[in-house]
Amino acid sequence: MSKRKGFTRRSEDFSAWYNEVVQRAELADYSPVRGSMVIRPWGYGIWEQMQHALDDMFKATGHENAYFPLLVPLSFIEREKEHVKGFKPELAVVTHAGGKELEEPYVVRPTSETIIYAMYAKWVQSYRDLPLLLNQWGNAMRWELRTRLFLRTAEFLWQEGHTAHADEAEAEAEARTMLGIYRRFMEDWMAMPPVTGVKTDGEKFAGAVRSYACEAVMQDGKALQAATSHMLGQNFAKQFDLTFQNRDGREEFAWNTSWGASTRLVGGLVMTHGDDAGVVVPPKLAPSQVVVVPIAGGEAEGAGVLAKSEELADALRREGVRARVDRRLDMSVGARFFDWERKGAPVRLEVGPRDVARGEVVVVPRVVREGGARKETLGEAEAVEGMRARLRALQDHLLGEAKARREARTVRQEVGSVRELAGLLDEGAGFVYSGWSGDPEVERRAKEEAKATIRVVPDEEFRSPAAPSKCPGGGRARMEVIWARAY
RNA sequence: CGGGGCGUGGCGCAGUCCGGUAGCGCGCCUGCUUUGGGAGCAGGAGGUCCCCGGUUCAAAUCCGGGCGCCCCGACCA
């Protein structure tokens, strides 16, 4: 990479900005494997923080982790009709191993419903074995034609939850609960407020009865499907003989759900908060929340400055803050400042000989609130003790900004034609709320002529006060939907 | 699979039209000086010019064939 000082501006070419930022903030890099990326420590650190938060929420709602094989017999995938249709074109298949051709090929899992429910069939006999609530952290592979760092890679990291229940209502409630967890995670941790709702039949998961999703608007106005939760009904149970005896002694098929979120979230984080200086990581997900940057003077001074920097980092850690000292003294201070800005560390502490002499530090947040000071000089103790509150305020600020951007990109009005829908999106609308007749033909036309899809039929709290009456495809609206151009 | 572009030190590129010593910026190494917003100076290392074949005294450059990658579209989390 040539030594370019800044990035392409978001307003010039959002997609170029994204690619540059991801690479130069050292989140990820292209690998020798087509479509697969290397996640570098800073990017992986963000993912680890996401994992911890989500994992805690899953455990708190009664789920346990387990692990299933990477390879799935091809015949398993082929068992559920819609499921094969959806995934067949993007399967990577293992045909040889141990120097021989395999009798039955394996696919590298594009998702694990089939192998997991095959195992559940073995474990579940009675209603007493239900519900079975497992989650797996792992990787999956979908051979996409066009890939983008984090947003769509051939191999991706994710979690996939798979549950089995004794009745439909309980499975439905589970699918809903998990959607709610994703939503809360996105708001509370990512500061990325999504809209939730149900997918149309055309957009639902291959093999599901119903799919729920969190959809977020990125800064360029495009929608990102950030997590999904599926009510699978008895579709997979029937194909894998996942049955149990109910209280009355009769045999029934179990009801399943599956839900997942992937490293795509990291891409969403970048596109939600990033600015022309680089990534902005919300404090709750930052691998290092505070970076102490020592400014070395002469050698004797340098030693004092370093000692003070370590002392401050220790004090911050005792306060429960993730802090690190940037000891790269052979790099100029300016270069180190820019480096952490690019990476999006929430707060920087500058510690130089002058500060040490006065018992002060310079506190610099990654993003400055309107009217706020860019740099503040504080006493050491004050800076340390106030850090948690400062980080909390930053987190809230980011959520507020993201909400405001989502609202600014939201249009609610009667849309009488596909052309009108395209016009709104061309003018910068992100989410367009309109009516829909329920006719799939309208979706097809909108996709072709406006490059837009129905992201979700929004949940009640997101719906407009007055239900729209027109459908872009003509005819009467039967429900309100959200249109967007999506990643 | 259709349309377009590109393969030259680690990265980004110039050189190709018009054949004749392989260059620039960044990065890297060493030394000295420097550190409060992307350090300076001096010295240095590093290249089968994507591959194969042809033309020629001579090929990064011309001719033929192949391979790979990127972008746009179709497909999709």
Side-chain angles (χ1 to χ4, degrees):
Chain A
M1 177 87 40
S2 69
K3 175 154 185 158
R4 292 256 311 279
K5 295 234 166 146
F7 296 109
T8 298
R9 307 207 168 276
R10 286 166 297 173
S11 54
E12 283 166 34
D13 184 343
F14 193 78
S15 168
W17 167 83
Y18 176 81
N19 285 330
E20 287 172 24
V21 162
V22 166
Q23 286 175 84
R24 291 187 51 213
E26 297 178 1
L27 262 41
D29 201 356
Y30 294 108
S31 81
V33 182
R34 194 209 75 109
S36 295
M37 64 176 175
V38 174
I39 305 177
R40 303 183 67 181
W42 186 249
Y44 199 79
I46 294 170
W47 176 238
E48 284 179 316
Q49 296 297 329
M50 290 179 166
Q51 284 183 296
H52 289 147
L54 282 169
D55 202 60
D56 285 348
M57 291 180 179
F58 298 156
K59 302 255 171 77
T61 40
H63 302 86
E64 291 182 293
N65 287 329
Y67 188 79
F68 295 83
L70 170 68
L71 300 179
V72 176
L74 179 59
S75 61
F76 279 35
I77 299 282
E78 286 171 339
R79 229 174 288 179
E80 213 285 336
K81 216 176 67 228
E82 292 301 314
H83 197 60
V84 213
K85 225 165 67 191
F87 285 109
K88 195 81 189 244
E90 47 191 49
L91 292 178
V93 185
V94 179
T95 56
H96 290 73
K100 280 189 289 191
E101 181 163 359
L102 296 168
E103 284 189 24
E104 189 195 341
Y106 290 113
V107 307
V108 181
R109 60 183 169 216
T111 178
S112 303
E113 276 76 9
T114 58
I115 196 165
I116 290 182
Y117 299 134
M119 293 307 297
Y120 281 15
K122 203 171 152 181
W123 299 336
V124 174
Q125 272 97 47
S126 153
Y127 69 92
R128 293 193 180 91
D129 298 323
L130 298 173
L132 184 49
L133 309 173
L134 300 186
N135 174 62
Q136 119 166 323
W137 287 97
N139 52 354
M141 176 162 278
R142 297 181 191 172
W143 210 258
E144 302 287 353
L145 295 174
R146 258 192 92 192
T147 58
R148 304 210 41 204
L149 294 169
F150 287 111
L151 301 175
R152 178 172 287 105
T153 47
E155 180 184 356
F156 54 91
L157 304 186
W158 73 340
Q159 65 55 223
E160 47 179 326
H162 295 274
T163 67
H165 305 264
D167 64 70
E168 182 174 11
E170 190 184 293
E172 175 66 24
E174 167 78 5
R176 272 290 180 185
T177 299
M178 299 324 286
L179 182 75
I181 282 180
Y182 287 132
R183 187 226 173 141
R184 204 171 74 212
F185 168 74
M186 288 174 205
E187 288 184 352
D188 292 355
W189 293 76
M190 296 179 69
M192 180 180 86
V195 164
T196 60
V198 189
K199 289 281 179 184
T200 62
D201 283 347
E203 295 281 328
K204 73 182 181 190
F205 177 74
V209 167
R210 207 167 18 256
S211 289
Y212 298 102
C214 291
E215 296 278 335
V217 205
M218 304 293 103
Q219 289 185 60
D220 61 347
K222 284 172 81 175
L224 184 76
Q225 178 176 304
T228 47
S229 178
H230 313 291
M231 168 60 176
L232 302 174
Q234 296 174 307
N235 290 351
F236 287 90
K238 284 178 180 167
Q239 299 313 317
F240 289 90
D241 262 317
L242 172 46
T243 58
F244 66 97
Q245 269 192 307
N246 67 17
R247 262 170 235 272
D248 306 323
R250 280 199 312 274
E251 192 168 31
E252 286 187 47
F253 288 111
W255 299 80
N256 297 114
T257 78
S258 68
W259 26 274
S262 72
T263 34
R264 166 179 268 198
L265 290 175
V266 178
L269 194 75
V270 172
M271 293 195 294
T272 297
H273 301 297
D275 61 23
D276 289 338
V279 176
V280 173
V281 188
K284 287 172 89 166
L285 292 176
S288 296
Q289 298 170 307
V290 177
V291 176
V292 182
V293 180
I295 300 160
E299 245 164 70
E301 270 179 342
V305 164
L306 268 182
K308 178 56 74 183
S309 298
E310 294 292 354
E311 190 188 313
L312 282 163
D314 280 338
L316 284 166
R317 287 183 204 115
R318 280 194 298 275
E319 291 284 315
V321 172
R322 291 188 292 275
R324 79 151 85 180
V325 178
D326 183 350
R327 305 182 61 110
R328 297 173 296 179
L329 296 186
D330 46 5
M331 206 185 278
S332 77
V333 268
R336 281 178 283 157
F337 292 169
F338 280 109
D339 190 45
W340 289 110
E341 270 162 31
R342 221 168 9 240
K343 290 190 161 92
V347 172
R348 176 174 81 234
L349 285 191
E350 304 177 8
V351 180
R354 284 205 306 267
D355 307 303
V356 175
R358 295 178 197 151
E360 292 173 343
V361 286
V362 177
V363 182
V364 189
R366 173 60 178 81
V367 290
V368 183
R369 270 179 284 178
E370 207 155 335
R374 207 170 82 84
K375 296 195 180 192
E376 271 182 276
T377 304
L378 298 178
E380 286 169 14
E382 190 187 358
V384 170
E385 284 155 22
M387 193 55 73
R388 282 172 65 98
R390 182 177 296 271
L391 292 171
R392 224 174 297 125
L394 260 170
Q395 180 85 28
D396 292 345
H397 172 69
L398 290 176
L399 178 61
E401 295 282 296
K403 268 190 179 151
R405 275 195 299 271
R406 182 184 75 187
E407 292 316 306
R409 289 279 194 177
T410 297
V411 172
R412 296 170 190 265
Q413 65 178 66
E414 294 288 358
V415 181
S417 69
V418 171
R419 173 185 296 256
E420 202 181 328
L421 173 63
L424 289 167
L425 293 166
D426 287 341
E427 284 159 27
F431 284 161
V432 177
Y433 286 66
S434 89
W436 180 47
S437 62
D439 181 359
E441 172 60 17
V442 179
E443 285 182 286
R444 198 196 58 73
R445 273 189 48 215
K447 192 167 183 175
E448 199 176 300
E449 295 165 30
K451 291 178 178 172
T453 50
I454 296 178
R455 302 317 301 164
V456 283
V457 179
D459 288 334
E460 192 164 358
E461 67 164 290
F462 297 103
R463 284 181 216 149
S464 307
S469 63
K470 287 187 186 167
C471 169
R476 278 203 67 74
R478 283 184 39 238
M479 64 191 94
E480 183 170 32
V481 296
I482 302 176
W483 299 92
R485 290 178 178 148
Y487 274 95

